[in-house]
Amino acid sequence: MRSETKCAVWCVFMGWACALQAQEAHWTAEDSTMVSDIHRHILGEGQCVEDLRALCKDIGARLSGSPEADDAILWGARTLREAGAPEVRMQTVMVPHWERSAIEMGWMRVDGGEAEPLPIRALGGSVGTEGALEAEVVVVREFEELDSLGPGGLDGRIAFFNRPMDPLMISAGGAYGGAYQQRSRGAVESAEHGGVAAIVRSLTHAMDTFPHTGAMRYLDTVPKVPAAAISTVDSRRIARLVKAGHDVRVGLNMGCVLHEDKAQANVIAEWTGTEHPDRYIVVGGHLDSWDIGEGAHDDGAGIVHSIEVMRTLVALGYAPRHTIRVVLFINEENGNNGGKTYARIARERSEWHVAAVESDAGGDAPRGWSIDATDDATSAVRAWRESLIDYGIGDLRRGGAGVDIGPLKTEAPAGKRPLMVGLRPNSQRYFDYHHSERDVFENVHPRELKLGAAALTSMVYLLDQLDYDSLDSSTD
Amino acid sequence: MRSETKCAVWCVFMGWACALQAQEAHWTAEDSTMVSDIHRHILGEGQCVEDLRALCKDIGARLSGSPEADDAILWGARTLREAGAPEVRMQTVMVPHWERSAIEMGWMRVDGGEAEPLPIRALGGSVGTEGALEAEVVVVREFEELDSLGPGGLDGRIAFFNRPMDPLMISAGGAYGGAYQQRSRGAVESAEHGGVAAIVRSLTHAMDTFPHTGAMRYLDTVPKVPAAAISTVDSRRIARLVKAGHDVRVGLNMGCVLHEDKAQANVIAEWTGTEHPDRYIVVGGHLDSWDIGEGAHDDGAGIVHSIEVMRTLVALGYAPRHTIRVVLFINEENGNNGGKTYARIARERSEWHVAAVESDAGGDAPRGWSIDATDDATSAVRAWRESLIDYGIGDLRRGGAGVDIGPLKTEAPAGKRPLMVGLRPNSQRYFDYHHSERDVFENVHPRELKLGAAALTSMVYLLDQLDYDSLDSSTD
C-alpha cells in the first residue's frame, strides 16, 4: 500500500465493496439488525476463542470413555451455565471405551536391513498386536486388487492401503469421502485375504510426517487384525520402495484395548420458547474427539460455536419463539451413541424438533450451509441467501447436515422431520489437522472461529423466525 | 468419522453436495468443460506452488529498486517463457529506490529506567534518524486529538498512532482501510504538531510481536520526521503504561535512505488473439514486495497465479480470441509506477483493453470477485454466478479490482474502458502476514494457492468469451 489514492481504491476492493444483490423480501429489517448485532457482538465480545483454549489446553484430547471426556462433559455443563443457559442437564449415554496404549510402535525394514522407526497410530477400535508383529507389505490402491489374489492371497502379509485423497476434487471433504473406506474397511479386507494386519495412508492432502487416526470396524465373521495409520510422507516412501522392487517389511507393536462400555453423557442446555415451548430447535456439535491432538477443529470448534449461540442470544436479550437446545453430543467419533440416544429419547417423548443445526466441519472461515430438508423448507433458507452473502455465508448446498443430528431425522415421524442445516467452513485446511497431533488450538484462526460462531448464531436466530406450521417440512 | 453409514452422510455434507442452483444460460457446455478442465489441470499438474517456492526462497523480498527486484524481473521473464508464453518482453519503468539500513534499532524507557529493546521497522520511504533519537511518547487514536493540541502541541515528542484495525468489521480489508491512514499520514501529522517522529501500531488483527512495514508519505511543506511501525503486542503494552500514568520514552535509530530513482521493468507476456489480435485482456499482479519477509502473499501469490494462467491455457491447447497479456507489474508497493507506465503506453498506442484482471489480495482460498465495470458489463459477469458458486468463487461484489490495473481505467478513453475484475480470496488471514517477516512461503496453503490460480485462469477464459462490441462497457 502506498498513497492514499491507491489505498482508497484497494480498500474498497478488500472490504467496503457492496454486494451486488438487493435484499430479499424474506429478510426483514429486524433480521438485518439482529444478524448484524450478532456478528458485532461475537467479533467484539465473543468468548469462543477463550472457550476453545480452555477445552484444548485444560482438558485436551477427550475420546469417548476416557476420564478426559468426563472432564469435558463437566466443563461443557459449567460453561453453558456461565454462558447464561436457563437450564443445563446431562443425558446419560453408553459409549465404547477403546484405549490406545503406551505400547504403540512401528518400524520398517528394507531388504532385510536394520529396522528403522516408522511413526504409526493405531486406528480407533483396532485390536492390539499381542506382542511384536512383522510382515511383508503389499501395496494396494483398490480393494479389487485384493480380490484378484483370491482368499488367502495376502498369505501372512500386511495390506498397505495407499490410495491418496483425490487431489483433483475441489472439496477436500469429497476427496476424504473417496478414500476413507480404506481406513474403515481396510482391516476386514486384509483379513479376508489372509493378511495379518492393515496399514493405511493417512487421510489428508498434506504431505507430512503425522499419522492421522480415525475409526475402523470389524465384522464378526472375519478375523480381527490390527490396523494402523502411517503418514503420507512414509506412505510415499514405502510405495516407491516396493515399486522399485525392494522387499519392505513393516513391524507393529500395539497394546490398544477395548474395555466395557461406559456411561457418559450428552450435555443439554435448554431455553424455553415464548411462543412454542413444545417445539425444539437443536444446535450442537460433538464434545468427544480422537485421543491425539486436542480435537480443536474436530469438533472443539463446533462445541464453542454452539456455546456461543446461547451466550450471544442471552446477552442480546433475545426471547426465543421456539425452545432452543444447545446439545454437546458425546461419542460422535466412534459410535454416534450420543446422537442416537438423543434422537431416541426425543421420539419417546414425542418432541417435535422443527430444526436442527450442527457445526462439525472445523473452525475455518465459514462459507455457507449444507441443507437437508424438503424443497419447501430448503426454499425458506434459500430466501435468505442474498443477505447471507453479505456475511460471506451464502453458499447453500443440499447435503447431510451433520452426524450427531442425523438420527433426529430417521427417528422423527413423517411430517415432523426437522429442517436440518450444517455449517460449512472452508474445507481446504481441515484434513491437514483432522485426527492428528496437529489438531490443536494454535491451528485455529481466532477471527475465523468467531465468524463461524456468528454464522451459527445467525442461523439459529433465523430458523427461530420461521413458521413451521406453514412449512412443508412437516410433510417430508 | 466412524462407520460407513456415518461417513456417507458426512461426505455428502463435506463435498459431494450439489449446489442448489441450476446452470445459467450464459454458461455453455463448452464453458463448463473448460472451467472444469482448468481446475483439474491446476490441482493435478499446476506448478504455481513450485513457482512461489522459487520466488520466495531463491529470491525472497524484492522491494522496487533492489537487486532482488532485478532478479525477480529476470526470473519472471524466464518463468513465463518456460510456461509457454509465445512472447515475453520487458517494459522499462522508473521506480523509487528506498533502502532500509542495517542500522535499525528501537528501544523504550519507562519512568526513566533502563532502555529495553523495542522491535521496530522503518516505514517505507521514511527518512533516517541521523543518529539516535529518544523522546516521550504521546498516544493518539485519531488525528483530531492532535489538532486539539494546536500547532507545536507535540513539542519535541513522538506521536504514537495506536488505533487498531476495527475488530467488528467482517472484512479484514475494510478494517485495514479504516486504520491505514495512521501509517500513511502519521509522520506528516506528527511533524505538523511539533513531533520529532511517528510510531504506528502495526496494521494487523493478529496480536503478535512482528512490526508490519508499509508505505508512508511526506508533504513538501512539512518537516520530514522518521516513522516506524511497532508490533501490536508492544503497542498494547505502551498504551497501557501511558494510560497508567507512566512516562514512556521511545528511542529510534534508523539509517534508511532514499536513493535516486532506478530503471526496472514490467514483465509482459503476450499471446496474440485469433479473432481480435488488437484487443487486450490483461491479467497480472505485482512482482515487487516489501523488503522483509518473502512477499509470499503480497503479491507472490498474484504473480504465480498469473503465470499459471498462461501455463494452463497453453497446456490445454486453448486458442485465445483476444490477445492475452500476463503482466508482472513492478513497484506497486511504493509508487505504482509499473501500473501507471503500462497504462500510459497503452494509451499512447491506442490499445483497447477490453478486460483487466488482478490478483493482489493473497494466496488464501478464493471466494469471489470484485468488479469495477458498467452495469451492463457487470451483468455479463453476474450471469456466470451460479456456475462460479460450484467452484466456490461466486461471491461477486462491486469494488476496485486492483492497484496495478487501476490506471488502465483512468487512462482509457471513454467508451474503451476495460471490464475490471479482482480476485477476492478469504481476507481473514492476509493481514496476519502482510508486510511482515511472516509473509513467507510456508504461510501459503498449497491447495488454496492452486485454487486461486484456477479461479483466475477460469475468469480470463470466460472474459475471452465475451463479445465486447455488444457490451456497454464500451460506453462507460
Side-chain angles (χ1 to χ4, degrees), chain A residues 6-34:
Chain A
K6 183 186 125 175
C7 282
V9 168
W10 195 81
C11 294
V12 168
F13 166 50
M14 287 294 284
W16 290 342
C18 53
L20 291 173
Q21 300 78 32
Q23 295 278 313
E24 290 267 329
H26 300 273
W27 186 277
T28 66
E30 264 180 23
D31 296 343
S32 208
T33 303
M34 186 67 178

mmCIF file of all heavy atoms in Angstrom, chain A residues 6-34:
data_model
loop_
_atom_site.group_PDB
_atom_site.id
_atom_site.type_symbol
_atom_site.label_atom_id
_atom_site.label_comp_id
_atom_site.label_asym_id
_atom_site.label_seq_id
_atom_site.Cartn_x
_atom_site.Cartn_y
_atom_site.Cartn_z
ATOM 1 N N LYS A 6 -4.242 5.266 -3.777
ATOM 2 C CA LYS A 6 -4.123 3.842 -4.004
ATOM 3 C C LYS A 6 -4.860 3.064 -2.921
ATOM 4 O O LYS A 6 -5.574 2.116 -3.199
ATOM 5 C CB LYS A 6 -2.649 3.447 -4.024
ATOM 6 C CG LYS A 6 -2.463 1.975 -4.322
ATOM 7 C CD LYS A 6 -1.022 1.551 -4.194
ATOM 8 C CE LYS A 6 -0.946 0.388 -3.227
ATOM 9 N NZ LYS A 6 0.385 -0.176 -3.122
ATOM 10 N N CYS A 7 -4.661 3.504 -1.685
ATOM 11 C CA CYS A 7 -5.296 2.791 -0.581
ATOM 12 C C CYS A 7 -6.801 2.822 -0.701
ATOM 13 O O CYS A 7 -7.479 1.838 -0.450
ATOM 14 C CB CYS A 7 -4.879 3.377 0.755
ATOM 15 S SG CYS A 7 -3.236 2.815 1.214
ATOM 16 N N ALA A 8 -7.320 3.954 -1.091
ATOM 17 C CA ALA A 8 -8.769 4.066 -1.185
ATOM 18 C C ALA A 8 -9.315 3.061 -2.180
ATOM 19 O O ALA A 8 -10.263 2.333 -1.913
ATOM 20 C CB ALA A 8 -9.162 5.489 -1.582
ATOM 21 N N VAL A 9 -8.663 2.976 -3.333
ATOM 22 C CA VAL A 9 -9.083 2.027 -4.360
ATOM 23 C C VAL A 9 -9.060 0.620 -3.788
ATOM 24 O O VAL A 9 -9.992 -0.155 -3.891
ATOM 25 C CB VAL A 9 -8.114 2.088 -5.568
ATOM 26 C CG1 VAL A 9 -8.376 0.913 -6.505
ATOM 27 C CG2 VAL A 9 -8.255 3.414 -6.284
ATOM 28 N N TRP A 10 -7.979 0.344 -3.105
ATOM 29 C CA TRP A 10 -7.739 -1.015 -2.646
ATOM 30 C C TRP A 10 -8.666 -1.396 -1.511
ATOM 31 O O TRP A 10 -9.124 -2.522 -1.416
ATOM 32 C CB TRP A 10 -6.274 -1.091 -2.219
ATOM 33 C CG TRP A 10 -5.804 -2.473 -2.077
ATOM 34 C CD1 TRP A 10 -5.390 -3.326 -3.047
ATOM 35 C CD2 TRP A 10 -5.708 -3.181 -0.854
ATOM 36 N NE1 TRP A 10 -5.034 -4.506 -2.506
ATOM 37 C CE2 TRP A 10 -5.213 -4.466 -1.174
ATOM 38 C CE3 TRP A 10 -5.980 -2.874 0.476
ATOM 39 C CZ2 TRP A 10 -4.997 -5.411 -0.189
ATOM 40 C CZ3 TRP A 10 -5.760 -3.828 1.431
ATOM 41 C CH2 TRP A 10 -5.279 -5.073 1.092
ATOM 42 N N CYS A 11 -8.953 -0.428 -0.661
ATOM 43 C CA CYS A 11 -9.799 -0.750 0.481
ATOM 44 C C CYS A 11 -11.230 -1.011 0.058
ATOM 45 O O CYS A 11 -11.898 -1.870 0.613
ATOM 46 C CB CYS A 11 -9.750 0.363 1.512
ATOM 47 S SG CYS A 11 -8.106 0.469 2.214
ATOM 48 N N VAL A 12 -11.672 -0.290 -0.937
ATOM 49 C CA VAL A 12 -12.993 -0.589 -1.469
ATOM 50 C C VAL A 12 -12.988 -2.021 -1.951
ATOM 51 O O VAL A 12 -13.870 -2.818 -1.665
ATOM 52 C CB VAL A 12 -13.351 0.374 -2.614
ATOM 53 C CG1 VAL A 12 -14.583 -0.128 -3.357
ATOM 54 C CG2 VAL A 12 -13.597 1.759 -2.065
ATOM 55 N N PHE A 13 -11.918 -2.377 -2.655
ATOM 56 C CA PHE A 13 -11.798 -3.730 -3.171
ATOM 57 C C PHE A 13 -11.838 -4.756 -2.051
ATOM 58 O O PHE A 13 -12.550 -5.742 -2.099
ATOM 59 C CB PHE A 13 -10.493 -3.832 -3.958
ATOM 60 C CG PHE A 13 -10.084 -5.237 -4.270
ATOM 61 C CD1 PHE A 13 -10.984 -6.131 -4.836
ATOM 62 C CD2 PHE A 13 -8.796 -5.651 -4.002
ATOM 63 C CE1 PHE A 13 -10.588 -7.428 -5.126
ATOM 64 C CE2 PHE A 13 -8.411 -6.943 -4.289
ATOM 65 C CZ PHE A 13 -9.301 -7.830 -4.849
ATOM 66 N N MET A 14 -11.084 -4.489 -0.988
ATOM 67 C CA MET A 14 -10.933 -5.507 0.045
ATOM 68 C C MET A 14 -12.121 -5.596 0.983
ATOM 69 O O MET A 14 -12.346 -6.622 1.592
ATOM 70 C CB MET A 14 -9.683 -5.244 0.877
ATOM 71 C CG MET A 14 -8.403 -5.552 0.157
ATOM 72 S SD MET A 14 -8.194 -7.324 -0.195
ATOM 73 C CE MET A 14 -7.730 -7.925 1.443
ATOM 74 N N GLY A 15 -12.835 -4.538 1.167
ATOM 75 C CA GLY A 15 -13.803 -4.698 2.223
ATOM 76 C C GLY A 15 -15.043 -3.840 2.177
ATOM 77 O O GLY A 15 -16.074 -4.233 2.705
ATOM 78 N N TRP A 16 -14.923 -2.708 1.591
ATOM 79 C CA TRP A 16 -16.072 -1.831 1.650
ATOM 80 C C TRP A 16 -16.977 -1.996 0.442
ATOM 81 O O TRP A 16 -17.904 -1.240 0.238
ATOM 82 C CB TRP A 16 -15.594 -0.378 1.789
ATOM 83 C CG TRP A 16 -14.986 -0.111 3.127
ATOM 84 C CD1 TRP A 16 -15.146 -0.869 4.247
ATOM 85 C CD2 TRP A 16 -14.125 0.950 3.489
ATOM 86 N NE1 TRP A 16 -14.426 -0.342 5.293
ATOM 87 C CE2 TRP A 16 -13.787 0.793 4.858
ATOM 88 C CE3 TRP A 16 -13.601 2.039 2.804
ATOM 89 C CZ2 TRP A 16 -12.955 1.666 5.535
ATOM 90 C CZ3 TRP A 16 -12.770 2.911 3.492
ATOM 91 C CH2 TRP A 16 -12.458 2.724 4.846
ATOM 92 N N ALA A 17 -16.629 -2.960 -0.365
ATOM 93 C CA ALA A 17 -17.436 -3.180 -1.552
ATOM 94 C C ALA A 17 -18.846 -3.583 -1.134
ATOM 95 O O ALA A 17 -19.043 -4.224 -0.116
ATOM 96 C CB ALA A 17 -16.814 -4.299 -2.374
ATOM 97 N N CYS A 18 -19.802 -3.159 -1.902
ATOM 98 C CA CYS A 18 -21.163 -3.550 -1.579
ATOM 99 C C CYS A 18 -21.558 -4.734 -2.440
ATOM 100 O O CYS A 18 -21.181 -4.842 -3.590
ATOM 101 C CB CYS A 18 -22.108 -2.380 -1.820
ATOM 102 S SG CYS A 18 -21.951 -1.696 -3.465
ATOM 103 N N ALA A 19 -22.290 -5.647 -1.858
ATOM 104 C CA ALA A 19 -22.712 -6.830 -2.601
ATOM 105 C C ALA A 19 -23.593 -6.391 -3.756
ATOM 106 O O ALA A 19 -24.241 -5.345 -3.714
ATOM 107 C CB ALA A 19 -23.452 -7.775 -1.680
ATOM 108 N N LEU A 20 -23.577 -7.202 -4.792
ATOM 109 C CA LEU A 20 -24.321 -6.838 -5.988
ATOM 110 C C LEU A 20 -25.811 -7.084 -5.851
ATOM 111 O O LEU A 20 -26.586 -6.672 -6.682
ATOM 112 C CB LEU A 20 -23.804 -7.642 -7.181
ATOM 113 C CG LEU A 20 -22.391 -7.293 -7.650
ATOM 114 C CD1 LEU A 20 -21.944 -8.270 -8.709
ATOM 115 C CD2 LEU A 20 -22.383 -5.878 -8.191
ATOM 116 N N GLN A 21 -26.190 -7.799 -4.793
ATOM 117 C CA GLN A 21 -27.568 -8.225 -4.698
ATOM 118 C C GLN A 21 -28.410 -7.312 -3.813
ATOM 119 O O GLN A 21 -27.933 -6.788 -2.829
ATOM 120 C CB GLN A 21 -27.643 -9.638 -4.131
ATOM 121 C CG GLN A 21 -26.922 -10.651 -4.991
ATOM 122 C CD GLN A 21 -25.419 -10.592 -4.804
ATOM 123 O OE1 GLN A 21 -24.957 -10.277 -3.726
ATOM 124 N NE2 GLN A 21 -24.685 -10.873 -5.848
ATOM 125 N N ALA A 22 -29.655 -7.224 -4.168
ATOM 126 C CA ALA A 22 -30.598 -6.483 -3.325
ATOM 127 C C ALA A 22 -31.023 -7.382 -2.173
ATOM 128 O O ALA A 22 -30.832 -8.591 -2.193
ATOM 129 C CB ALA A 22 -31.805 -6.085 -4.141
ATOM 130 N N GLN A 23 -31.589 -6.775 -1.151
ATOM 131 C CA GLN A 23 -32.125 -7.550 -0.039
ATOM 132 C C GLN A 23 -33.376 -8.295 -0.504
ATOM 133 O O GLN A 23 -34.175 -7.794 -1.284
ATOM 134 C CB GLN A 23 -32.510 -6.608 1.117
ATOM 135 C CG GLN A 23 -31.323 -5.887 1.723
ATOM 136 C CD GLN A 23 -30.594 -6.750 2.734
ATOM 137 O OE1 GLN A 23 -31.198 -7.363 3.580
ATOM 138 N NE2 GLN A 23 -29.285 -6.793 2.637
ATOM 139 N N GLU A 24 -33.541 -9.497 -0.008
ATOM 140 C CA GLU A 24 -34.727 -10.289 -0.326
ATOM 141 C C GLU A 24 -35.879 -9.896 0.598
ATOM 142 O O GLU A 24 -35.662 -9.434 1.713
ATOM 143 C CB GLU A 24 -34.428 -11.771 -0.094
ATOM 144 C CG GLU A 24 -33.483 -12.355 -1.084
ATOM 145 C CD GLU A 24 -34.234 -12.990 -2.255
ATOM 146 O OE1 GLU A 24 -35.349 -13.484 -2.029
ATOM 147 O OE2 GLU A 24 -33.694 -12.969 -3.362
ATOM 148 N N ALA A 25 -37.047 -10.172 0.131
ATOM 149 C CA ALA A 25 -38.234 -9.826 0.917
ATOM 150 C C ALA A 25 -38.280 -10.584 2.239
ATOM 151 O O ALA A 25 -38.801 -10.095 3.221
ATOM 152 C CB ALA A 25 -39.481 -10.123 0.100
ATOM 153 N N HIS A 26 -37.718 -11.792 2.261
ATOM 154 C CA HIS A 26 -37.849 -12.637 3.442
ATOM 155 C C HIS A 26 -36.863 -12.274 4.545
ATOM 156 O O HIS A 26 -36.708 -13.008 5.502
ATOM 157 C CB HIS A 26 -37.674 -14.105 3.062
ATOM 158 C CG HIS A 26 -38.685 -14.561 2.084
ATOM 159 N ND1 HIS A 26 -39.916 -15.044 2.462
ATOM 160 C CD2 HIS A 26 -38.678 -14.570 0.719
ATOM 161 C CE1 HIS A 26 -40.604 -15.359 1.386
ATOM 162 N NE2 HIS A 26 -39.885 -15.080 0.315
ATOM 163 N N TRP A 27 -36.184 -11.233 4.370
ATOM 164 C CA TRP A 27 -35.190 -10.800 5.344
ATOM 165 C C TRP A 27 -35.676 -9.436 5.823
ATOM 166 O O TRP A 27 -35.576 -8.447 5.123
ATOM 167 C CB TRP A 27 -33.820 -10.693 4.654
ATOM 168 C CG TRP A 27 -32.662 -10.386 5.530
ATOM 169 C CD1 TRP A 27 -32.272 -9.157 5.960
ATOM 170 C CD2 TRP A 27 -31.697 -11.302 6.043
ATOM 171 N NE1 TRP A 27 -31.120 -9.257 6.708
ATOM 172 C CE2 TRP A 27 -30.749 -10.562 6.784
ATOM 173 C CE3 TRP A 27 -31.532 -12.701 5.961
ATOM 174 C CZ2 TRP A 27 -29.654 -11.165 7.420
ATOM 175 C CZ3 TRP A 27 -30.449 -13.281 6.590
ATOM 176 C CH2 TRP A 27 -29.529 -12.514 7.321
ATOM 177 N N THR A 28 -36.228 -9.396 7.001
ATOM 178 C CA THR A 28 -36.846 -8.162 7.483
ATOM 179 C C THR A 28 -35.791 -7.209 8.028
ATOM 180 O O THR A 28 -34.626 -7.583 8.228
ATOM 181 C CB THR A 28 -37.831 -8.470 8.621
ATOM 182 O OG1 THR A 28 -37.071 -8.965 9.733
ATOM 183 C CG2 THR A 28 -38.847 -9.528 8.207
ATOM 184 N N ALA A 29 -36.214 -5.991 8.302
ATOM 185 C CA ALA A 29 -35.305 -5.009 8.901
ATOM 186 C C ALA A 29 -34.830 -5.520 10.259
ATOM 187 O O ALA A 29 -33.671 -5.335 10.647
ATOM 188 C CB ALA A 29 -36.020 -3.675 9.056
ATOM 189 N N GLU A 30 -35.714 -6.191 10.968
ATOM 190 C CA GLU A 30 -35.321 -6.776 12.258
ATOM 191 C C GLU A 30 -34.250 -7.846 12.093
ATOM 192 O O GLU A 30 -33.312 -7.927 12.882
ATOM 193 C CB GLU A 30 -36.537 -7.426 12.936
ATOM 194 C CG GLU A 30 -37.223 -6.532 13.932
ATOM 195 C CD GLU A 30 -38.426 -7.229 14.565
ATOM 196 O OE1 GLU A 30 -38.469 -8.479 14.578
ATOM 197 O OE2 GLU A 30 -39.319 -6.508 15.016
ATOM 198 N N ASP A 31 -34.427 -8.677 11.075
ATOM 199 C CA ASP A 31 -33.420 -9.706 10.803
ATOM 200 C C ASP A 31 -32.079 -9.050 10.536
ATOM 201 O O ASP A 31 -31.031 -9.492 11.025
ATOM 202 C CB ASP A 31 -33.812 -10.550 9.578
ATOM 203 C CG ASP A 31 -35.094 -11.348 9.818
ATOM 204 O OD1 ASP A 31 -35.479 -11.506 10.988
ATOM 205 O OD2 ASP A 31 -35.688 -11.788 8.821
ATOM 206 N N SER A 32 -32.129 -8.016 9.740
ATOM 207 C CA SER A 32 -30.919 -7.307 9.359
ATOM 208 C C SER A 32 -30.189 -6.791 10.594
ATOM 209 O O SER A 32 -28.977 -6.979 10.750
ATOM 210 C CB SER A 32 -31.330 -6.133 8.468
ATOM 211 O OG SER A 32 -30.319 -5.817 7.597
ATOM 212 N N THR A 33 -30.935 -6.149 11.473
ATOM 213 C CA THR A 33 -30.354 -5.607 12.694
ATOM 214 C C THR A 33 -29.810 -6.726 13.573
ATOM 215 O O THR A 33 -28.690 -6.644 14.099
ATOM 216 C CB THR A 33 -31.429 -4.833 13.483
ATOM 217 O OG1 THR A 33 -31.953 -3.827 12.614
ATOM 218 C CG2 THR A 33 -30.850 -4.185 14.720
ATOM 219 N N MET A 34 -30.599 -7.784 13.714
ATOM 220 C CA MET A 34 -30.206 -8.859 14.618
ATOM 221 C C MET A 34 -28.943 -9.576 14.126
ATOM 222 O O MET A 34 -28.019 -9.818 14.905
ATOM 223 C CB MET A 34 -31.371 -9.848 14.759
ATOM 224 C CG MET A 34 -31.124 -10.918 15.789
ATOM 225 S SD MET A 34 -31.057 -10.249 17.497
ATOM 226 C CE MET A 34 -30.832 -11.781 18.415
#
